[in-house]
């Protein structure tokens, strides 16, 4: 959760600190001046008398502290200094504390002006001395019972005590951090997108057969140059290719349909690169654009679009005329053709089935790109005629119920859903954690001599390569899910 929500946490922390800075800047600085008063009581000369006197002083000190903060003294001080404030305002800035078990009282006065703070503290103390003299002198008496001396006078304070910059910053930081963690936790709890292998496998009822990383390169250039590319994305497709062969060891799927719940989950990109990865392993592959509503293969692969799948199905062209060879060795493409008014009917027709069967005969692999399941029925129709259907899930975007609906629509037509593929998985943070794009395993950054290992491990149970050597294949990755259909909750 923390890994996933670090942006929120950082933003909240920064806001907390900025808030603290704003509060600090907006607070009027207050200076504090202090005086100390000493209380003594008139007492006899005997030890007992003196002890008694001291006790009396200690008891008085507490009452004096209250009087120091009282309205009468505040008003006297204001009158004396001619201050432009009322007693309550001054009282709010005066603090008097009796020091326990002593006869001392600390008086602290806060004011925006350091000089005035000092003046108020001193004047207030002097006024208090006079006040006590008046209060403690008995009627008809001459000497007061107790007296107060200003033991320490106030000086001009150099530093303001308010705002307490460091304290404000610490509080802002702590609050920001707490709020960030709180928001991130809440978001995580409310987030019902599919973000983990467990959830994906539970909803789809099949194993995860591939995790395609989010790769900005793919937005510019969809196809990967497998002959020179060893990036994590290329490796992810090689791993997917290997896992395809293990989906059903005895009869590996050869007509493979890629679909997804929503638009833009990476179907076309994944179909193209899976086809290229298969072609890289010296298989003869045909890639079909089964998305007759928003076809993209022609654009993504720089091919001519108008004559393709729909043209052949409607009898407008022969298969051989419509099939295009590409600049990639081993890859032929059947584009979508011109957009027909009734794609679902065309795709569900007998001729579509015959065409797929024919292509299945001619090629090792038939990779079909299709439409999103929740939008139209085309994909489900196509999927019903496939050996294996792979459902793409845009990591952290597709919602659980959307995926469940999509899987339901495949189940209704009896389509052979064989695996799930995460697409656009963030490479950092929690997302990539535990999925391991590394060559040797999840947490091993170094890369090994690929070619040597490849030659030994890639004993393919898939169709025999038709074009000689098999030097560029990745090994089966230990720990990758290769099981076929699982029962839910397994
Ligand atoms: N692994 C990836 N990393 C980054 N961007 C990707 C990746 N895969 C696909 N994209 C981008 O996402 C967008 C959608 O991809 P794509 O066309 O393959 O999806 P789609 O499922 O076929 O969409 P549609 O439902 O429209 O057919 C494109 O801009 C593509 O470049
Ligand atoms: Mg597409």
């Amino acid at each position: 959760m923390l890994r996933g929500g670090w942006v929120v946490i950082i933003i909240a922390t920064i806001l907390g600190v900025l808030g603290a800075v704003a509060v600090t800047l907006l607070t009027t600085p207050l200076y504090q001046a202090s005086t100390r008063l000493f209380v003594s009581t008139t007492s006899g000369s005997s030890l007992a008398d003196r002890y008694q006197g001291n006790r009396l002083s200690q008891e008085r000190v507490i009452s004096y502290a209250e009087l120091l903060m009282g309205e009468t003294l505040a008003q006297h001080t204001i009158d004396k200094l001619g201050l432009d404030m009322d007693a309550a305002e001054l009282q709010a800035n005066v603090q008097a504390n009796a020091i326990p078990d002593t006869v001392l009282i600390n008086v602290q006065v806060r004011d925006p002006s350091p000089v005035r703070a000092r003046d108020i503290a001193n004047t207030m103390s002097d006024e208090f001395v006079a006040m006590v003299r008046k209060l403690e002198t008995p009627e008809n008496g001459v000497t007061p019972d107790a007296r107060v001396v200003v033991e320490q006078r106030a000086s001009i304070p150099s530093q303001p005590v308010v705002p307490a910059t460091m304290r404000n910053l610490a509080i802002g930081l702590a609050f920001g951090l707490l709020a960030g963690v709180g928001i991130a936790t809440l978001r995580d709890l409310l987030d019902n997108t599919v973000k983990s292998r467990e959830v994906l496998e539970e909803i789809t009822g099949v194993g995860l057969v591939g995790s395609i990383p989010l790769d900005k390169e793919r937005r510019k250039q969809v196809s990967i140059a497998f002959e020179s590319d060893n990036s994590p994305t290329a490796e992810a497709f090689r791993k997917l290719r290997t896992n395809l062969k293990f989906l059903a060891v005895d009869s590996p799927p050869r007509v493979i349909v890629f679909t997804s719940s929503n638009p833009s989950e990476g179907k076309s990109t994944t179909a193209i690169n899976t086809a290229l990865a298969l072609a890289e392993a010296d298989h003869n592959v045909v890639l079909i654009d089964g998305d007759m509503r928003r076809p993209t293969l022609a654009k993504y692969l720089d091919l001519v679009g108008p004559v393709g799948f729909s043209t052949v199905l409607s009898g407008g062209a022969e298969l051989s005329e419509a099939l295009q060879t590409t600049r990639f060795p081993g890859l032929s493409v059947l584009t979508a053709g011109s957009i027909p008014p009734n794609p679902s009917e065309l795709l569900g027709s007998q001729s579509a089935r015959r065409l797929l069967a024919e292509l299945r005969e001619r090629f090792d692999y038939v990779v079909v790109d299709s439409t999103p399941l929740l939008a139209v029925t085309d994909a489900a129709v196509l999927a019903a005629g496939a050996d294996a259907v792979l459902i793409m899930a845009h990591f952290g975007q597709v919602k659980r119920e959307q995926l469940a609906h999509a899987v339901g629509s495949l189940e209704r037509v009896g389509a052979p859903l064989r695996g799930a593929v995460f697409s656009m998985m963030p490479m950092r943070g929690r997302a990539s954690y535990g999925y391991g794009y590394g060559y040797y395993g999840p947490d091993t950054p170094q890369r090994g001599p690929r070619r040597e290992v490849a030659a030994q491990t890639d004993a393919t149970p898939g169709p025999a390569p038709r074009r000689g050597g098999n030097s560029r294949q990745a090994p089966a990755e230990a720990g990758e899910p290769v099981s076929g259909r699982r029962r839910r909750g397994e």
Side-chain angles (χ1 to χ4, degrees):
M1 189 280 296
L2 290 183
R3 279 163 183 266
W6 65 271
V7 179
V8 174
I9 296 174
I10 288 181
I11 291 177
T13 310
I14 291 174
L15 286 180
V17 172
L18 285 181
V21 171
V23 167
T24 306
L25 291 177
L26 290 174
T27 309
T28 316
L30 288 182
Y31 293 83
Q32 179 171 302
S34 311
T35 61
R36 191 153 60 185
L37 308 180
F38 178 85
V39 179
S40 68
T41 330
T42 325
S43 58
S45 53
S46 77
L47 195 63
D49 281 350
R50 262 186 270 152
Y51 176 74
Q52 193 76 19
N54 200 40
R55 281 297 307 264
L56 278 174
S57 302
Q58 283 181 17
E59 279 162 16
R60 277 190 158 78
V61 155
I62 297 169
S63 320
Y64 288 176
E66 288 303 316
L67 287 175
L68 275 160
M69 293 188 286
E71 191 183 340
T72 317
L73 184 65
Q75 195 55 55
H76 280 181
T77 311
I78 290 169
D79 294 344
K80 182 93 183 192
L81 287 173
L83 297 175
D84 182 22
M85 57 171 85
D86 60 27
E89 275 176 72
L90 180 56
Q91 277 175 280
N93 283 323
V94 176
Q95 191 64 39
N97 296 309
I99 304 173
D101 297 328
T102 68
V103 292
L104 299 173
I105 302 170
N106 278 336
V107 182
Q108 288 152 347
V109 176
R110 290 182 176 189
D111 195 87
S113 147
V115 174
R116 206 165 69 162
R118 177 203 60 183
D119 293 347
I120 294 173
N122 284 337
T123 308
M124 189 168 246
S125 303
D126 293 340
E127 286 298 305
F128 187 65
V129 170
M131 188 172 155
V132 167
R133 193 179 309 126
K134 222 158 97 192
L135 284 173
E136 298 283 7
T137 308
E139 262 180 65
N140 313 323
V142 187
T143 42
D145 293 344
R147 67 191 189 101
V148 174
V149 181
V150 183
E151 186 265 326
Q152 189 181 298
R153 299 192 73 79
S155 53
I156 299 175
S158 55
Q159 291 288 328
V161 288
V162 170
T165 311
M166 290 318 283
R167 199 196 57 185
N168 286 357
L169 287 182
I171 292 175
L173 187 85
F175 264 106
L177 210 61
L178 267 177
V181 171
I183 295 169
T185 311
L186 202 67
R187 250 181 36 158
D188 202 56
L189 288 175
L190 297 178
D191 183 3
N192 67 343
T193 61
V194 181
K195 275 188 175 158
S196 76
R197 174 187 196 146
E198 291 75 25
V199 171
L200 180 68
E201 293 187 341
E202 195 195 314
I203 295 175
T204 56
V206 289
L208 177 75
V209 293
S211 302
I212 313 302
L214 182 77
D215 179 4
K216 297 211 171 68
E217 254 331 274
R218 302 284 71 81
R219 297 198 184 128
K220 285 178 257 157
Q221 176 62 48
V222 173
S223 56
I224 294 174
F226 277 94
E227 68 281 358
S228 58
D229 196 337
N230 283 331
S231 66
T233 316
E235 290 297 339
F237 281 109
R238 291 191 181 104
K239 216 185 284 181
L240 174 57
R241 168 187 69 194
T242 310
N243 284 341
L244 279 181
K245 294 175 183 168
F246 287 98
L247 277 180
V249 177
D250 290 331
S251 64
R254 290 175 41 216
V255 180
I256 301 161
V257 170
F258 282 90
T259 183
S260 69
S261 321
N262 300 315
S264 295
E265 290 201 68
K267 295 177 293 294
S268 305
T269 308
T270 308
I272 289 174
N273 287 303
T274 307
L276 284 173
L278 287 165
E280 184 208 18
D282 296 317
H283 296 298
N284 211 357
V285 184
V286 62
L287 178 61
I288 304 180
D289 197 341
D291 186 347
M292 291 186 183
R293 295 172 198 260
R294 277 164 60 187
T296 45
L297 292 196
K299 188 182 82 188
Y300 284 170
L301 291 170
D302 300 324
L303 299 169
V304 279
V307 177
F309 200 12
S310 66
T311 333
V312 178
L313 290 184
S314 62
E318 287 299 312
L319 176 59
S320 51
E321 294 166 337
L323 262 184
Q324 300 183 49
T325 49
T326 60
R327 61 196 147 99
F328 307 99
L331 180 70
S332 306
V333 174
L334 187 60
T335 59
S338 53
I339 298 171
N342 55 346
S344 310
E345 282 165 40
L346 264 189
L347 292 170
S349 64
Q350 282 298 331
S351 32
R353 225 155 293 157
R354 274 199 302 274
L355 181 61
L356 280 185
E358 190 183 338
L359 289 169
R360 195 176 196 281
E361 284 305 307
R362 284 176 54 180
F363 292 88
D364 298 332
Y365 284 98
V366 183
V367 177
V368 189
D369 178 23
S370 70
T371 49
L373 285 163
L374 296 184
V376 282
T377 57
D378 303 13
V381 171
L382 260 176
D387 293 348
V389 179
L390 299 184
I391 190 159
M392 311 279 317
H394 187 165
F395 187 93
Q397 292 289 323
V398 60
K399 301 217 164 58
R400 292 171 192 217
E401 60 271 15
Q402 293 174 331
L403 190 60
H405 269 120
V407 170
S409 64
L410 285 175
E411 275 170 357
R412 273 196 296 283
V413 296
L417 179 58
R418 290 285 177 267
V421 179
F422 261 136
S423 68
M424 296 184 241
M425 278 188 63
M427 289 282 281
R428 285 169 193 272
R430 167 174 72 163
S432 61
Y433 182 74
Y435 290 95
Y437 299 114
Y439 184 66
Y440 286 112
D443 298 309
T444 324
Q446 71 271 50
R447 302 170 66 85
R450 210 164 64 80
R451 280 160 201 269
E452 280 108 79
V453 187
Q456 296 156 18
T457 41
D458 200 28
T460 83
R466 293 191 181 173
R467 289 182 289 109
N470 189 14
S471 61
R472 288 203 48 84
Q473 216 165 347
E477 205 78 24
E480 268 299 297
V482 291
S483 58
R485 190 166 179 84
R486 299 186 181 185
R487 256 172 287 123
R488 281 182 195 203
E490 210 171 41

